[in-house]
PDB file of all heavy atoms in Angstrom:
ATOM      1  N   SER A   1     -43.642  78.914  84.889  1.00  0.00           N
ATOM      2  CA  SER A   1     -43.388  80.334  84.716  1.00  0.00           C
ATOM      3  C   SER A   1     -44.685  81.126  84.695  1.00  0.00           C
ATOM      4  O   SER A   1     -45.780  80.570  84.653  1.00  0.00           O
ATOM      5  CB  SER A   1     -42.608  80.577  83.422  1.00  0.00           C
ATOM      6  OG  SER A   1     -43.355  80.153  82.293  1.00  0.00           O
ATOM      7  N   ARG A   2     -44.551  82.432  84.720  1.00  0.00           N
ATOM      8  CA  ARG A   2     -45.718  83.301  84.808  1.00  0.00           C
ATOM      9  C   ARG A   2     -46.690  83.146  83.649  1.00  0.00           C
ATOM     10  O   ARG A   2     -47.905  83.225  83.840  1.00  0.00           O
ATOM     11  CB  ARG A   2     -45.272  84.759  84.932  1.00  0.00           C
ATOM     12  CG  ARG A   2     -44.670  85.099  86.285  1.00  0.00           C
ATOM     13  CD  ARG A   2     -44.000  86.451  86.278  1.00  0.00           C
ATOM     14  NE  ARG A   2     -42.754  86.425  85.529  1.00  0.00           N
ATOM     15  CZ  ARG A   2     -41.991  87.489  85.330  1.00  0.00           C
ATOM     16  NH1 ARG A   2     -42.348  88.675  85.829  1.00  0.00           N
ATOM     17  NH2 ARG A   2     -40.870  87.370  84.640  1.00  0.00           N
ATOM     18  N   THR A   3     -46.175  82.904  82.476  1.00  0.00           N
ATOM     19  CA  THR A   3     -47.029  82.730  81.303  1.00  0.00           C
ATOM     20  C   THR A   3     -47.394  81.275  81.049  1.00  0.00           C
ATOM     21  O   THR A   3     -48.249  80.995  80.210  1.00  0.00           O
ATOM     22  CB  THR A   3     -46.343  83.281  80.050  1.00  0.00           C
ATOM     23  OG1 THR A   3     -45.150  82.535  79.795  1.00  0.00           O
ATOM     24  CG2 THR A   3     -45.996  84.756  80.235  1.00  0.00           C
ATOM     25  N   GLY A   4     -46.746  80.358  81.748  1.00  0.00           N
ATOM     26  CA  GLY A   4     -46.984  78.950  81.529  1.00  0.00           C
ATOM     27  C   GLY A   4     -46.151  78.343  80.421  1.00  0.00           C
ATOM     28  O   GLY A   4     -46.320  77.160  80.099  1.00  0.00           O
ATOM     29  N   SER A   5     -45.248  79.122  79.852  1.00  0.00           N
ATOM     30  CA  SER A   5     -44.468  78.649  78.723  1.00  0.00           C
ATOM     31  C   SER A   5     -43.274  77.783  79.122  1.00  0.00           C
ATOM     32  O   SER A   5     -42.689  77.116  78.268  1.00  0.00           O
ATOM     33  CB  SER A   5     -43.983  79.829  77.892  1.00  0.00           C
ATOM     34  OG  SER A   5     -43.152  80.684  78.654  1.00  0.00           O
ATOM     35  N   ASN A   6     -42.907  77.796  80.385  1.00  0.00           N
ATOM     36  CA  ASN A   6     -41.741  77.054  80.847  1.00  0.00           C
ATOM     37  C   ASN A   6     -42.083  76.318  82.133  1.00  0.00           C
ATOM     38  O   ASN A   6     -42.668  76.896  83.049  1.00  0.00           O
ATOM     39  CB  ASN A   6     -40.568  78.007  81.074  1.00  0.00           C
ATOM     40  CG  ASN A   6     -39.222  77.313  81.137  1.00  0.00           C
ATOM     41  OD1 ASN A   6     -38.227  77.922  81.523  1.00  0.00           O
ATOM     42  ND2 ASN A   6     -39.167  76.048  80.752  1.00  0.00           N
ATOM     43  N   THR A   7     -41.716  75.049  82.198  1.00  0.00           N
ATOM     44  CA  THR A   7     -41.945  74.232  83.383  1.00  0.00           C
ATOM     45  C   THR A   7     -40.713  73.415  83.707  1.00  0.00           C
ATOM     46  O   THR A   7     -39.841  73.206  82.860  1.00  0.00           O
ATOM     47  CB  THR A   7     -43.135  73.275  83.199  1.00  0.00           C
ATOM     48  OG1 THR A   7     -42.869  72.393  82.096  1.00  0.00           O
ATOM     49  CG2 THR A   7     -44.419  74.044  82.923  1.00  0.00           C
ATOM     50  N   ASP A   8     -40.656  72.927  84.940  1.00  0.00           N
ATOM     51  CA  ASP A   8     -39.585  72.039  85.347  1.00  0.00           C
ATOM     52  C   ASP A   8     -40.121  71.118  86.438  1.00  0.00           C
ATOM     53  O   ASP A   8     -41.054  71.470  87.165  1.00  0.00           O
ATOM     54  CB  ASP A   8     -38.375  72.822  85.849  1.00  0.00           C
ATOM     55  CG  ASP A   8     -37.091  72.003  85.842  1.00  0.00           C
ATOM     56  OD1 ASP A   8     -37.081  70.900  85.262  1.00  0.00           O
ATOM     57  OD2 ASP A   8     -36.091  72.469  86.408  1.00  0.00           O
ATOM     58  N   TYR A   9     -39.505  69.929  86.542  1.00  0.00           N
ATOM     59  CA  TYR A   9     -39.982  68.914  87.472  1.00  0.00           C
ATOM     60  C   TYR A   9     -38.827  68.241  88.189  1.00  0.00           C
ATOM     61  O   TYR A   9     -37.720  68.142  87.655  1.00  0.00           O
ATOM     62  CB  TYR A   9     -40.766  67.829  86.727  1.00  0.00           C
ATOM     63  CG  TYR A   9     -41.982  68.328  85.999  1.00  0.00           C
ATOM     64  CD1 TYR A   9     -41.889  68.783  84.689  1.00  0.00           C
ATOM     65  CD2 TYR A   9     -43.223  68.341  86.622  1.00  0.00           C
ATOM     66  CE1 TYR A   9     -43.012  69.245  84.015  1.00  0.00           C
ATOM     67  CE2 TYR A   9     -44.349  68.797  85.957  1.00  0.00           C
ATOM     68  CZ  TYR A   9     -44.238  69.245  84.657  1.00  0.00           C
ATOM     69  OH  TYR A   9     -45.358  69.700  83.999  1.00  0.00           O
ATOM     70  N   ALA A  10     -39.121  67.755  89.379  1.00  0.00           N
ATOM     71  CA  ALA A  10     -38.172  66.896  90.058  1.00  0.00           C
ATOM     72  C   ALA A  10     -38.054  65.588  89.289  1.00  0.00           C
ATOM     73  O   ALA A  10     -39.018  65.114  88.689  1.00  0.00           O
ATOM     74  CB  ALA A  10     -38.628  66.621  91.487  1.00  0.00           C
ATOM     75  N   ASP A  11     -36.872  64.987  89.318  1.00  0.00           N
ATOM     76  CA  ASP A  11     -36.658  63.737  88.594  1.00  0.00           C
ATOM     77  C   ASP A  11     -37.636  62.644  89.031  1.00  0.00           C
ATOM     78  O   ASP A  11     -38.054  61.817  88.223  1.00  0.00           O
ATOM     79  CB  ASP A  11     -35.228  63.251  88.795  1.00  0.00           C
ATOM     80  CG  ASP A  11     -34.204  64.103  88.067  1.00  0.00           C
ATOM     81  OD1 ASP A  11     -34.590  64.854  87.149  1.00  0.00           O
ATOM     82  OD2 ASP A  11     -33.013  64.017  88.414  1.00  0.00           O
ATOM     83  N   SER A  12     -38.003  62.647  90.284  1.00  0.00           N
ATOM     84  CA  SER A  12     -38.856  61.608  90.829  1.00  0.00           C
ATOM     85  C   SER A  12     -40.284  61.628  90.276  1.00  0.00           C
ATOM     86  O   SER A  12     -41.004  60.633  90.394  1.00  0.00           O
ATOM     87  CB  SER A  12     -38.907  61.707  92.357  1.00  0.00           C
ATOM     88  OG  SER A  12     -39.404  62.971  92.763  1.00  0.00           O
ATOM     89  N   VAL A  13     -40.701  62.746  89.684  1.00  0.00           N
ATOM     90  CA  VAL A  13     -42.071  62.849  89.189  1.00  0.00           C
ATOM     91  C   VAL A  13     -42.157  63.079  87.687  1.00  0.00           C
ATOM     92  O   VAL A  13     -43.271  63.118  87.139  1.00  0.00           O
ATOM     93  CB  VAL A  13     -42.853  63.967  89.912  1.00  0.00           C
ATOM     94  CG1 VAL A  13     -42.793  63.756  91.421  1.00  0.00           C
ATOM     95  CG2 VAL A  13     -42.332  65.347  89.540  1.00  0.00           C
ATOM     96  N   LYS A  14     -41.038  63.198  87.014  1.00  0.00           N
ATOM     97  CA  LYS A  14     -41.052  63.429  85.572  1.00  0.00           C
ATOM     98  C   LYS A  14     -41.772  62.303  84.849  1.00  0.00           C
ATOM     99  O   LYS A  14     -41.567  61.127  85.126  1.00  0.00           O
ATOM    100  CB  LYS A  14     -39.624  63.560  85.042  1.00  0.00           C
ATOM    101  CG  LYS A  14     -38.960  64.881  85.359  1.00  0.00           C
ATOM    102  CD  LYS A  14     -37.557  64.954  84.783  1.00  0.00           C
ATOM    103  CE  LYS A  14     -36.910  66.290  85.082  1.00  0.00           C
ATOM    104  NZ  LYS A  14     -35.521  66.368  84.581  1.00  0.00           N
ATOM    105  N   GLY A  15     -42.623  62.685  83.927  1.00  0.00           N
ATOM    106  CA  GLY A  15     -43.395  61.713  83.174  1.00  0.00           C
ATOM    107  C   GLY A  15     -44.682  61.301  83.843  1.00  0.00           C
ATOM    108  O   GLY A  15     -45.527  60.647  83.214  1.00  0.00           O
ATOM    109  N   ARG A  16     -44.861  61.656  85.112  1.00  0.00           N
ATOM    110  CA  ARG A  16     -46.071  61.294  85.849  1.00  0.00           C
ATOM    111  C   ARG A  16     -46.898  62.501  86.273  1.00  0.00           C
ATOM    112  O   ARG A  16     -48.122  62.427  86.302  1.00  0.00           O
ATOM    113  CB  ARG A  16     -45.707  60.476  87.090  1.00  0.00           C
ATOM    114  CG  ARG A  16     -44.984  59.173  86.778  1.00  0.00           C
ATOM    115  CD  ARG A  16     -44.830  58.314  88.029  1.00  0.00           C
ATOM    116  NE  ARG A  16     -44.024  58.978  89.054  1.00  0.00           N
ATOM    117  CZ  ARG A  16     -44.454  59.252  90.287  1.00  0.00           C
ATOM    118  NH1 ARG A  16     -45.699  58.928  90.646  1.00  0.00           N
ATOM    119  NH2 ARG A  16     -43.652  59.839  91.164  1.00  0.00           N
ATOM    120  N   PHE A  17     -46.230  63.590  86.621  1.00  0.00           N
ATOM    121  CA  PHE A  17     -46.910  64.796  87.081  1.00  0.00           C
ATOM    122  C   PHE A  17     -46.850  65.878  86.015  1.00  0.00           C
ATOM    123  O   PHE A  17     -45.865  65.978  85.267  1.00  0.00           O
ATOM    124  CB  PHE A  17     -46.250  65.343  88.352  1.00  0.00           C
ATOM    125  CG  PHE A  17     -46.435  64.508  89.584  1.00  0.00           C
ATOM    126  CD1 PHE A  17     -46.970  63.222  89.529  1.00  0.00           C
ATOM    127  CD2 PHE A  17     -46.068  65.016  90.819  1.00  0.00           C
ATOM    128  CE1 PHE A  17     -47.130  62.463  90.674  1.00  0.00           C
ATOM    129  CE2 PHE A  17     -46.228  64.263  91.973  1.00  0.00           C
ATOM    130  CZ  PHE A  17     -46.760  62.992  91.903  1.00  0.00           C
ATOM    131  N   THR A  18     -47.887  66.708  85.973  1.00  0.00           N
ATOM    132  CA  THR A  18     -47.929  67.833  85.054  1.00  0.00           C
ATOM    133  C   THR A  18     -48.418  69.076  85.780  1.00  0.00           C
ATOM    134  O   THR A  18     -49.496  69.059  86.381  1.00  0.00           O
ATOM    135  CB  THR A  18     -48.852  67.554  83.855  1.00  0.00           C
ATOM    136  OG1 THR A  18     -48.415  66.380  83.166  1.00  0.00           O
ATOM    137  CG2 THR A  18     -48.834  68.736  82.891  1.00  0.00           C
ATOM    138  N   ILE A  19     -47.641  70.137  85.723  1.00  0.00           N
ATOM    139  CA  ILE A  19     -48.056  71.410  86.289  1.00  0.00           C
ATOM    140  C   ILE A  19     -48.629  72.278  85.183  1.00  0.00           C
ATOM    141  O   ILE A  19     -48.136  72.272  84.054  1.00  0.00           O
ATOM    142  CB  ILE A  19     -46.885  72.114  87.010  1.00  0.00           C
ATOM    143  CG1 ILE A  19     -47.382  73.354  87.770  1.00  0.00           C
ATOM    144  CG2 ILE A  19     -45.769  72.472  86.038  1.00  0.00           C
ATOM    145  CD1 ILE A  19     -46.326  73.980  88.677  1.00  0.00           C
ATOM    146  N   SER A  20     -49.673  73.016  85.492  1.00  0.00           N
ATOM    147  CA  SER A  20     -50.286  73.906  84.521  1.00  0.00           C
ATOM    148  C   SER A  20     -50.896  75.096  85.247  1.00  0.00           C
ATOM    149  O   SER A  20     -50.940  75.127  86.482  1.00  0.00           O
ATOM    150  CB  SER A  20     -51.351  73.171  83.693  1.00  0.00           C
ATOM    151  OG  SER A  20     -52.403  72.702  84.519  1.00  0.00           O
ATOM    152  N   ARG A  21     -51.355  76.070  84.487  1.00  0.00           N
ATOM    153  CA  ARG A  21     -52.006  77.217  85.106  1.00  0.00           C
ATOM    154  C   ARG A  21     -53.043  77.800  84.168  1.00  0.00           C
ATOM    155  O   ARG A  21     -52.941  77.688  82.942  1.00  0.00           O
ATOM    156  CB  ARG A  21     -50.981  78.288  85.500  1.00  0.00           C
ATOM    157  CG  ARG A  21     -50.278  78.969  84.332  1.00  0.00           C
ATOM    158  CD  ARG A  21     -49.100  79.814  84.825  1.00  0.00           C
ATOM    159  NE  ARG A  21     -49.527  80.873  85.714  1.00  0.00           N
ATOM    160  CZ  ARG A  21     -48.728  81.500  86.584  1.00  0.00           C
ATOM    161  NH1 ARG A  21     -47.453  81.140  86.689  1.00  0.00           N
ATOM    162  NH2 ARG A  21     -49.208  82.470  87.355  1.00  0.00           N
ATOM    163  N   ASP A  22     -54.042  78.424  84.766  1.00  0.00           N
ATOM    164  CA  ASP A  22     -55.083  79.132  84.040  1.00  0.00           C
ATOM    165  C   ASP A  22     -55.138  80.526  84.642  1.00  0.00           C
ATOM    166  O   ASP A  22     -55.754  80.740  85.683  1.00  0.00           O
ATOM    167  CB  ASP A  22     -56.423  78.417  84.166  1.00  0.00           C
ATOM    168  CG  ASP A  22     -57.503  79.034  83.300  1.00  0.00           C
ATOM    169  OD1 ASP A  22     -57.362  80.203  82.895  1.00  0.00           O
ATOM    170  OD2 ASP A  22     -58.502  78.353  83.028  1.00  0.00           O
ATOM    171  N   ASN A  23     -54.486  81.467  83.997  1.00  0.00           N
ATOM    172  CA  ASN A  23     -54.394  82.811  84.553  1.00  0.00           C
ATOM    173  C   ASN A  23     -55.749  83.510  84.615  1.00  0.00           C
ATOM    174  O   ASN A  23     -55.966  84.366  85.472  1.00  0.00           O
ATOM    175  CB  ASN A  23     -53.398  83.644  83.748  1.00  0.00           C
ATOM    176  CG  ASN A  23     -51.961  83.229  83.993  1.00  0.00           C
ATOM    177  OD1 ASN A  23     -51.675  82.435  84.893  1.00  0.00           O
ATOM    178  ND2 ASN A  23     -51.045  83.754  83.193  1.00  0.00           N
ATOM    179  N   ALA A  24     -56.650  83.153  83.728  1.00  0.00           N
ATOM    180  CA  ALA A  24     -57.986  83.738  83.755  1.00  0.00           C
ATOM    181  C   ALA A  24     -58.755  83.328  85.005  1.00  0.00           C
ATOM    182  O   ALA A  24     -59.646  84.045  85.453  1.00  0.00           O
ATOM    183  CB  ALA A  24     -58.763  83.344  82.505  1.00  0.00           C
ATOM    184  N   LYS A  25     -58.418  82.174  85.570  1.00  0.00           N
ATOM    185  CA  LYS A  25     -59.069  81.672  86.779  1.00  0.00           C
ATOM    186  C   LYS A  25     -58.210  81.846  88.024  1.00  0.00           C
ATOM    187  O   LYS A  25     -58.593  81.380  89.101  1.00  0.00           O
ATOM    188  CB  LYS A  25     -59.437  80.202  86.608  1.00  0.00           C
ATOM    189  CG  LYS A  25     -60.463  79.942  85.521  1.00  0.00           C
ATOM    190  CD  LYS A  25     -60.807  78.468  85.437  1.00  0.00           C
ATOM    191  CE  LYS A  25     -61.861  78.214  84.385  1.00  0.00           C
ATOM    192  NZ  LYS A  25     -62.216  76.781  84.281  1.00  0.00           N
ATOM    193  N   ASN A  26     -57.065  82.475  87.898  1.00  0.00           N
ATOM    194  CA  ASN A  26     -56.139  82.681  89.015  1.00  0.00           C
ATOM    195  C   ASN A  26     -55.798  81.366  89.713  1.00  0.00           C
ATOM    196  O   ASN A  26     -55.710  81.299  90.945  1.00  0.00           O
ATOM    197  CB  ASN A  26     -56.729  83.660  90.032  1.00  0.00           C
ATOM    198  CG  ASN A  26     -56.858  85.062  89.491  1.00  0.00           C
ATOM    199  OD1 ASN A  26     -56.352  85.391  88.421  1.00  0.00           O
ATOM    200  ND2 ASN A  26     -57.536  85.917  90.240  1.00  0.00           N
ATOM    201  N   THR A  27     -55.590  80.331  88.930  1.00  0.00           N
ATOM    202  CA  THR A  27     -55.410  79.000  89.488  1.00  0.00           C
ATOM    203  C   THR A  27     -54.280  78.247  88.803  1.00  0.00           C
ATOM    204  O   THR A  27     -54.136  78.301  87.582  1.00  0.00           O
ATOM    205  CB  THR A  27     -56.710  78.184  89.358  1.00  0.00           C
ATOM    206  OG1 THR A  27     -57.778  78.895  89.994  1.00  0.00           O
ATOM    207  CG2 THR A  27     -56.570  76.830  90.024  1.00  0.00           C
ATOM    208  N   ALA A  28     -53.491  77.546  89.615  1.00  0.00           N
ATOM    209  CA  ALA A  28     -52.488  76.623  89.121  1.00  0.00           C
ATOM    210  C   ALA A  28     -52.910  75.210  89.492  1.00  0.00           C
ATOM    211  O   ALA A  28     -53.673  74.999  90.446  1.00  0.00           O
ATOM    212  CB  ALA A  28     -51.117  76.940  89.709  1.00  0.00           C
ATOM    213  N   TYR A  29     -52.404  74.227  88.753  1.00  0.00           N
ATOM    214  CA  TYR A  29     -52.807  72.849  88.954  1.00  0.00           C
ATOM    215  C   TYR A  29     -51.598  71.930  88.978  1.00  0.00           C
ATOM    216  O   TYR A  29     -50.550  72.228  88.408  1.00  0.00           O
ATOM    217  CB  TYR A  29     -53.738  72.383  87.830  1.00  0.00           C
ATOM    218  CG  TYR A  29     -54.948  73.246  87.630  1.00  0.00           C
ATOM    219  CD1 TYR A  29     -54.940  74.280  86.696  1.00  0.00           C
ATOM    220  CD2 TYR A  29     -56.100  73.037  88.380  1.00  0.00           C
ATOM    221  CE1 TYR A  29     -56.055  75.083  86.509  1.00  0.00           C
ATOM    222  CE2 TYR A  29     -57.217  73.835  88.204  1.00  0.00           C
ATOM    223  CZ  TYR A  29     -57.189  74.854  87.267  1.00  0.00           C
ATOM    224  OH  TYR A  29     -58.292  75.648  87.086  1.00  0.00           O
TER     225      TYR A  29
END
């Protein structure tokens, strides 16, 4: 989500992948 407070994942990657963002750097990971 825009604030980073909510995330969701495909079942195939749950527990292995992590999405995050740094709004100060205009970057998602």
